[in-house]
Amino acid sequence: MYYRKFNDYLKEKYGGRIQKIAIDAGFTCPNRDGTKASGGCTFCNNQSFSPYAMSRKTVQEQIEKSIEFYKNRFKNIKGFLAYFQAFTNTYADVDTLREIYDQAMSYDEIIGMSIGTRPDVVPEEVLDLIATYTVEKPEIWVEYGLQTAHFRTLRKINRAHGVSEFIDAVLRTKKRPNIKICVHVILGLPDEDYEDMMETAKVIAALGVDGIKIHPLHIVKHTVMEKQYYKGEIKELDIKEYAKLAVDFLSYLPKDIIVHRITGEASEEELIAPYWCSPKYKQEVLKAIEEEFKKREASKQLMLI
Ligand code: SF4
């Protein structure tokens, strides 16, 4: 094992498969509704934006359907992790958040939750609320979208937050030590060179977070990046380049960091480039990363001889 995979960590801890259930609780994003900015991040698909009031399945319906589906599909499931994935999942007042999180946490089968959000949308009272869930179900994660630790790139991709807000969010979250922190990054962002990307890894390593999600930059339809891509302003990575970058990036992080993801995909209908970010190439990307690890291990052994 070259890195600590999230699924393996869960399996070891809970003695079997823990299935993530992705939940869309109807949140929006302050980078789309004009509160922080409008238009969203340049890589984010604005077509899929749907206001909170739009009719959709309730949190309970989503959880119950998923539990039933996965229990029929896999025999060895030990539990489920509620993953609040869509948009900014702390973007509401505390009472609304409590109501939504309570719905998920009320199921015996749910062993915890993972909350995806922006680093500038976690006031103290929200972190205090999240910390209360760690008493009964200790698998509580907050996933911060950082993407890069470089302010100019953040500005370029219209993140509408800075590096300082990310550092502040992590330090304040760490004051509640039972909340686990995962950070999302994108490798291959416009105008970033190798050193820039490795510097992002070093910043994350210095902060001592628990988990990481690494994605290759991929361009999807209905985004600002789509237009930039067709104008020739975005360079795409190839699989081997990405594999090398991902392995180098991981080499700067603590050995025991939990890797939630090491690549990323978009559906064939949505994806523009690179082609290998479609789900059908996922195994090829993972294989390229594995090969890269093997190559490095072999060259280390040669050096020892
Ligand atoms: S990527 Fe996240 S923060 Fe950026 S616009 Fe989309 S939902 Fe908002």
Side-chain angles (χ1 to χ4, degrees):
M1 195 175 63
Y2 296 108
Y3 55 94
R4 197 174 176 204
K5 295 177 185 157
F6 187 48
N7 284 346
D8 293 343
Y9 151 81
L10 290 172
K11 210 181 251 174
E12 266 167 42
K13 195 165 166 183
Y14 295 94
R17 184 187 181 99
I18 299 294
Q19 182 66 49
K20 250 186 175 187
I21 297 177
I23 299 167
D24 180 348
F27 291 104
T28 61
C29 171
N31 196 16
R32 292 163 170 266
D33 69 6
T35 304
K36 298 274 174 183
S38 51
C41 306
T42 59
F43 56 83
C44 183
N45 178 341
N46 290 281
Q47 274 316 80
S48 51
F49 172 69
S50 12
Y52 186 70
M54 208 174 223
S55 80
R56 50 154 56 92
K57 284 196 185 80
T58 63
V59 168
Q60 285 104 325
E61 280 168 343
Q62 292 176 57
I63 289 177
E64 284 164 23
K65 256 193 140 333
S66 300
I67 288 180
E68 194 192 332
F69 172 81
Y70 286 116
K71 274 190 173 167
N72 285 332
R73 188 160 173 203
F74 303 110
K75 293 285 157 264
N76 56 344
I77 289 193
K78 286 276 175 193
F80 297 86
L81 189 76
Y83 179 28
F84 289 96
Q85 181 178 27
F87 305 107
T88 303
N89 294 278
T90 54
Y91 188 37
D93 61 79
V94 172
D95 290 337
T96 307
L97 292 175
R98 184 181 295 108
E99 201 180 307
I100 292 169
Y101 301 155
D102 278 357
Q103 287 169 17
M105 298 298 272
S106 65
Y107 292 83
D108 289 343
E109 295 99 325
I110 300 277
I111 56 118
M113 61 181 165
S114 204
I115 301 168
T117 191
R118 293 167 55 88
D120 55 349
V121 192
V122 280
E124 289 295 279
E125 59 272 24
V126 168
L127 289 175
D128 284 342
L129 170 69
I130 295 171
T132 61
Y133 295 99
T134 63
V135 177
E136 280 189 21
K137 299 191 178 186
E139 205 60 46
I140 305 294
W141 288 80
V142 174
E143 299 193 17
Y144 287 124
L146 170 66
Q147 320 312 349
T148 169
H150 300 279
F151 179 70
R152 280 177 204 284
T153 315
L154 288 170
R155 192 161 59 186
K156 189 165 189 140
I157 61 174
N158 197 38
R159 281 290 297 173
H161 68 71
V163 182
S164 56
E165 281 145 313
F166 166 72
I167 294 171
D168 173 60
V170 169
L171 295 180
R172 286 189 298 104
T173 309
K174 281 171 79 80
K175 286 188 187 147
R176 288 101 176 153
N178 292 331
I179 301 178
K180 296 176 178 62
I181 303 170
C182 175
V183 183
H184 296 197
V185 294
I186 299 177
L187 300 181
L189 283 168
D191 299 340
E192 288 212 340
D193 62 17
Y194 176 84
E195 274 79 24
D196 291 325
M197 292 181 250
M198 297 310 127
E199 183 64 17
T200 295
K202 291 176 201 172
V203 170
I204 292 169
L207 286 167
V209 301
D210 308 277
I212 186 84
K213 266 189 188 175
I214 310 174
H215 307 91
L217 177 68
H218 49 285
I219 294 109
V220 295
K221 288 179 185 161
H222 314 298
T223 60
V224 175
M225 268 197 191
E226 177 184 12
K227 296 185 188 92
Q228 295 170 334
Y229 176 76
Y230 286 126
K231 278 197 228 156
E233 293 170 10
I234 310 263
K235 180 189 165 292
E236 53 183 294
L237 297 171
D238 65 36
I239 295 189
K240 282 196 173 155
E241 232 177 329
Y242 177 68
K244 280 190 188 134
L245 285 171
V247 173
D248 282 349
F249 194 93
L250 275 180
S251 73
Y252 285 104
L253 299 178
K255 291 279 159 283
D256 61 347
I257 198 163
I258 299 165
V259 180
H260 291 231
R261 274 190 87 94
I262 199 166
T263 186
E265 311 87 45
S267 69
E268 297 252 334
E269 302 78 56
E270 289 296 313
L271 183 67
I272 291 174
Y275 72 91
W276 51 270
C277 284
S278 115
K280 70 177 179 199
Y281 290 99
K282 184 175 177 185
Q283 290 312 317
E284 210 173 298
V285 180
L286 294 177
K287 204 167 148 227
I289 292 169
E290 184 99 3
E291 290 298 318
E292 190 59 38
F293 273 116
K294 272 190 199 149
K295 234 193 274 171
R296 292 179 192 208
E297 196 175 55
S299 65
K300 246 191 261 161
Q301 279 164 0
L302 276 177
M303 279 167 71
L304 288 174
I305 289 169

